[in-house]
Structures are given as structure tokens and as C-alpha cells.
């Protein structure tokens, strides 16, 4: 029981810390800044609880990137801003065309149908690398697996089991997201999740 109490206290401390940081950014700046603060908090808090059973995730391992990714409106704006800063006009135009075609294909699909069809995220490059990795949403940062074999088996249809995860890492990530949501809700900002590809297309076209 004491261990559970300690974990709960730690979760609440993370949640409160992140909420305060995000609230401060909302007071000073804009939604993009709030998302960036939350992203930095996710990296910091999850790195604190890395254990001997570290995630097996590595560059190019993209089995999990064949589902609908969800992000808040603030995070979508942060991704759009990062792309506008990072890409030349021609590359940005090509990305918008690719996103439009991709959205037309995947938007009618449920989460389950998207996974069954194994349709990759439009932001994956030819090597299976996330092209917006520095700006990726909290959900993408939070998801992890301690076994690449579990992910491969699920992707190839040999298993219906969820990948094994680090309980401490999962709790820390959940606490960060809860703190971020708390700050947005308190500020009257939309904290709901939106499909990343569609939201990003709209943001880039807006």
C-alpha cells in the first residue's frame, strides 16, 4: 500500500508541475508555446523513470505508426509551425499534397480499420522515420514498447496482445498528459484530441 501511495504522490506532483508550467506559457505566449512546454515536460519526466527495462523503440521502428494519431489543437499548431520553419516552400507544398491524398484515404476509416489496413502515418519517410520527430505530439511521445518482437508480431498479425510497456514510464507519461489537459481546460482551451493528419492539413492550408 505504501508503494502505491508513493506512486500516486509522484503522479500528482508531475501533474501539478506540468499544469503550472503550461499555465505559465499560456499566460505569456500562445498555444504553440504551451504544446512545446508540454513536450519538453514529457521528455524530462519520462527520462527520470527510465529503468533497466527501457523501451525497445528505435529510429526506423515504426510498427505503431500505422494508426490514427491524435493531438490537441495546440500540438497540431506546433507541428505546423515546425514544418513551416523547417521546409522549403516547394517541400511544404509537396507535403500538403501528400497529406490531402492521405487524408482522403484514411479519414473514412475507424481506428480499428486503419490498423487492419496497415496504412502508415503520412509523416513517415521512406526509411520509416518520423519526419516531425522533434515536434511530435504527446501521444506519440508517450507510446512505447519494451519488446520490438511484440510490436512486430502484432503488426504482422501473429498476436492480438498489446506490446509490453514499462509501468513507471506509462504512469509518468499519463501524469504529464493529465497536467497538460488540466492547464488547457483551466484556460478555456480545447483539450480534446483531433486526428493529426487532418488537423495538420487544415492548419497548413489555413
Amino acid at each position: 500500500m505504501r508503494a502505491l501511495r508513493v506512486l500516486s504522490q509522484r503522479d500528482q506532483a508531475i501533474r501539478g508541475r506540468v499544469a503550472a508550467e503550461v499555465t505559465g506559457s499560456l499566460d505569456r505566449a500562445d498555444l504553440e508555446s504551451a504544446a512545446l512546454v508540454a513536450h519538453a515536460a514529457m521528455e524530462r519526466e519520462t527520462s527520470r523513470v527510465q529503468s533497466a527495462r527501457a523501451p525497445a523503440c528505435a529510429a526506423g521502428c515504426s510498427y505503431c505508426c500505422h494508426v490514427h494519431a491524435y493531438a490537441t489543437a495546440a500540438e497540431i499548431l506546433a507541428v505546423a509551425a515546425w514544418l513551416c520553419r523547417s521546409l522549403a516552400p516547394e517541400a511544404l507544398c509537396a507535403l500538403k499534397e501528400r497529406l490531402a491524398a492521405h487524408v482522403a484515404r484514411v479519414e473514412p476509416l475507424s481506428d480499428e480499420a486503419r490498423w487492419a489496413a496497415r496504412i502508415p502515418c503520412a509523416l513517415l519517410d521512406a526509411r520509416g522515420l518520423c519526419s516531425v520527430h522533434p515536434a511530435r505530439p504527446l501521444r506519440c511521445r508517450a507510446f512505447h514498447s519494451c519488446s520490438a518482437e511484440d510490436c512486430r508480431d502484432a503488426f504482422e498479425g501473429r498476436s492480438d496482445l498489446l506490446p509490453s510497456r514499462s509501468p513507471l514510464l506509462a504512469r509518468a507519461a499519463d501524469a504529464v498528459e493529465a497536467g497538460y489537459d488540466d492547464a488547457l481546460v483551466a484556460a478555456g482551451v480545447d483539450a480534446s484530441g483531433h486526428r493529426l493528419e487532418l488537423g495538420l492539413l487544415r492548419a497548413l492550408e489555413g
Side-chain angles (χ1 to χ4, degrees):
M1 292 297 294
R2 182 178 182 279
L4 289 176
R5 185 167 64 252
V6 169
L7 285 174
S8 180
Q9 290 171 345
R10 191 209 62 190
D11 295 347
Q12 290 303 315
I14 293 173
R15 183 172 182 167
R17 188 159 55 240
V18 174
E21 291 170 354
V22 174
T23 296
S25 70
L26 286 169
D27 289 343
R28 296 191 308 271
D30 55 17
L31 291 182
E32 179 192 347
S33 296
L36 296 179
V37 167
H39 293 170
M42 180 69 80
E43 298 303 311
R44 180 191 70 225
E45 300 296 346
T46 54
S47 68
R48 286 179 175 175
V49 296
Q50 295 285 358
S51 65
R53 196 176 186 223
C57 309
C61 181
S62 56
Y63 299 118
C64 60
C65 302
H66 292 70
V67 297
H68 290 304
Y70 290 86
T72 61
E75 292 183 282
I76 291 170
L77 290 175
V79 176
W82 186 88
L83 285 167
C84 289
R85 291 192 300 268
S86 303
L87 298 181
E90 298 80 7
L92 190 61
C93 183
L95 172 62
K96 286 190 281 189
E97 291 179 357
R98 186 166 73 251
L99 271 173
H102 207 81
V103 164
R105 182 184 182 195
V106 302
E107 268 307 295
L109 302 179
S110 66
D111 291 348
E112 295 76 14
R114 169 78 179 263
W115 170 249
R118 303 297 192 266
I119 301 173
C121 176
L123 299 172
L124 282 182
D125 68 15
R127 299 168 295 169
L129 300 176
C130 175
S131 62
V132 297
H133 193 266
R136 69 197 187 282
L138 288 174
R139 276 286 79 202
C140 299
R141 294 169 191 265
F143 188 84
H144 68 278
S145 170
C146 293
S147 170
E149 289 75 18
D150 285 354
C151 297
R152 184 174 60 247
D153 287 347
F155 184 79
E156 295 178 353
R158 291 193 295 273
S159 171
D160 292 327
L161 298 178
L162 292 174
S164 55
R165 303 174 67 198
S166 162
L168 285 177
L169 191 56
R171 288 184 70 119
D174 288 347
V176 170
E177 291 192 90
Y180 172 63
D181 289 348
D182 288 346
L184 294 184
V185 170
V189 176
D190 178 20
S192 60
H194 305 271
R195 287 187 178 180
L196 176 61
E197 292 154 323
L198 175 60
L200 183 57
L201 177 62
R202 289 174 173 171
L204 291 173
E205 290 180 335

